[in-house]
Amino acid sequence: MRTAPPAPAAVDLAVARRVLRIEARAVLDLVDRVDERLSAAVAHLASCRGRVIVTGMGKSGIIARKIAATLSSTGTPAHFLHPAEAVHGDLGAVQPDDVVVPLSQSGETPEVLRLVERIRRLGARIVALTGSPASTLGRAADVTLDCSVDGEACPLNLAPTASTTAALAFGDALAMTLLVARGFREEDFAHLHPGGQLGKRLMRVERLMHTGAAVPRVDAGSPMADVVRTMTEAGLGMTCVTAGSGELDGIITDGDLRRRLAGPGNVLELTAADVMTRSPLTIAGSALAVEALRTMEARRVTSLIVLDDRRRIAGVVHLHDLWRTDLF
């Protein structure tokens, strides 16, 4: 017979709250350490002609992998190097033009120090993240960022908790400051993230817009009966209005029709030019989908007319196109 499972032990939620407070305090304490040392670290990374090599042992190694991934995803060539494996054959991954970012809470991790000694011989620069700036690692680095904490969040003050959180946060601060310094843009992010949810969010408008015969358009002199028919067939809740030369002259939306219907007179006796909104909102096909969404939300519209380089109608992007693509 199967025995009954043991009764669960009482859960002390105060422990969880204490952990969160300690780790939050550890991150907030870093704010006062953002000074010329961080500026110097950013300068080293920005001027790196090789790659950024991030390294660390144990839990620091896990944080180092995350920092390397963040740097790579924001335009800085970076990868993680295991310090123990480096001194057993992988040291060739480090070149004189590289910048090495070692992580060590104590600053005395033997594997990291052996790697740092050889890096010094190569001539590569070192930007260290450590909880002990006066340690061997802190003194050996070109720039040392102080990630020290008052204590771990572990009730035994043993398991790396607050210290790893602080190192991760400082690494993010370093990466994001570098991102801004390098002028990294959404377009650059899109180039590095072509797949997955991020790739969808950073898709270009030209990949989502309606084109050709699917773009509703009427002449400025068209009677409103034709305008309503065109809008109904297109199903976008709008139509472009063109001048005699075919250039964009305005837009008529469902909202324009409702406002006219609520006013005096018979709307069907009017022409497109009488009802249209002049100078409609437009966007370039090369713009990002997120930019189109921001414009729609800010101006409270559901569609944008897409113009080409010659300011001619290239298509229409609708809010539903963004939803159907599961962008947001």
Side-chain angles (χ1 to χ4, degrees), residues 65-96:
R65 289 180 186 274
K66 165 58 171 64
I67 294 174
T70 299
L71 289 169
S72 294
S73 71
T74 52
T76 298
H79 73 265
F80 171 77
L81 177 64
H82 195 289
E85 294 177 356
V87 296
H88 287 280
D90 288 352
L91 190 59
V94 184
Q95 298 298 315

Side-chain angles (χ1 to χ4, degrees), residues 17-36:
R17 297 187 184 101
R18 174 182 175 275
V19 169
L20 294 175
R21 290 192 188 99
I22 291 175
E23 296 202 6
R25 193 180 311 121
V27 172
L28 286 175
D29 287 345
L30 299 176
V31 175
D32 293 334
R33 301 176 208 165
V34 175
D35 51 26
E36 67 280 354

Side-chain angles (χ1 to χ4, degrees), residues 169-256:
F170 221 145
D172 284 343
L174 177 63
M176 295 305 103
T177 307
L178 176 62
L179 176 153
V180 173
R182 296 184 60 177
F184 194 78
R185 304 164 299 166
E186 284 182 332
E187 290 83 354
D188 303 313
F189 202 85
H191 177 71
L192 295 176
H193 298 78
Q197 192 68 11
L198 285 175
K200 292 179 180 179
R201 289 180 60 87
L202 298 171
M203 193 177 295
R204 304 284 178 177
V205 167
E206 60 195 1
R207 293 187 57 189
L208 302 173
M209 67 184 185
H210 299 263
T211 60
V215 178
R217 63 183 82 197
V218 297
D219 294 331
S222 298
M224 285 306 298
D226 292 344
V227 173
V228 173
R229 186 180 306 109
T230 298
M231 293 175 63
T232 302
E233 292 174 351
L236 297 178
M238 54 77 66
T239 183
C240 305
V241 181
T242 59
S245 59
E247 297 177 351
L248 180 65
D249 199 19
I251 187 174
I252 298 176
T253 66
D254 286 339
D256 294 323

Side-chain angles (χ1 to χ4, degrees), residues 279-294:
S279 302
L281 292 174
T282 63
I283 195 168
S286 59
L288 297 176
V290 288
E291 181 181 344
L293 180 70
R294 280 198 297 263

Side-chain angles (χ1 to χ4, degrees), residues 15 61 85 99 116 131-132 169 210 241 261 302 313:
V15 175
E85 294 177 356
V99 174
V116 166
S132 304
H210 299 263
V241 181
L261 287 170
T302 58
I313 300 172

Side-chain angles (χ1 to χ4, degrees), residues 54-65 80-88 101-106 108-115 129 137 160 163-164:
V54 194
T55 186
M57 280 293 294
K59 303 299 187 294
S60 291
I62 295 172
I63 302 302
R65 289 180 186 274
F80 171 77
L81 177 64
H82 195 289
E85 294 177 356
V87 296
H88 287 280
V101 181
L103 277 68
S104 171
Q105 171 64 12
S106 67
E108 302 295 344
T109 307
E111 295 88 347
V112 172
L113 294 183
R114 284 197 294 271
L115 176 59
L129 275 72
L137 175 61
S163 60
T164 50

